[in-house]
C-alpha cells in the first residue's frame, strides 16, 4: 500500500478551507466518523481506508 500522508494532508486542508465537517463527509460516505478520523490520521491504513481516501479525493477533485 502506498504512503497516504500527502493525500491525507490535502484532504484535511481542503476540508478546513471549505469548512467541510468530518461528520458530513462520514455521513455521505456511510462510514462512522471515528473511522474517517482514523483514516485521515493514518491510524488505520487498511485497504478500506485507502479506498475511502481515494474516493474522497476523486469526489471532491482534490489536487
Amino acid at each position: 500500500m502506498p504512503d497516504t500522508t500527502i493525500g491525507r494532508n490535502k484532504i484535511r486542508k481542503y476540508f478546513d478551507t471549505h469548512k467541510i465537517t468530518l461528520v458530513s463527509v462520514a455521513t455521505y460516505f456511510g462510514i462512522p466518523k471515528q473511522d474517517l478520523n482514523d483514516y485521515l490520521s493514518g491510524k488505520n491504513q487498511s485497504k478500506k481506508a485507502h479506498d475511502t481516501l481515494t474516493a474522497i479525493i476523486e469526489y471532491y477533485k482534490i489536487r
Side-chain angles (χ1 to χ4, degrees), residues 18-57:
H18 292 86
K19 309 254 188 279
I20 298 171
T21 66
L22 292 185
V23 172
S24 63
V25 175
T27 300
Y28 183 82
F29 282 90
I31 57 174
K33 179 185 173 269
Q34 185 58 50
D35 287 356
L36 179 58
N37 195 45
D38 289 347
Y39 299 167
L40 290 172
S41 70
K43 184 176 180 181
N44 182 335
Q45 294 190 13
S46 65
K47 178 159 177 26
K48 182 176 180 181
H50 177 77
D51 291 345
T52 301
L53 293 174
T54 301
I56 290 170
I57 289 169

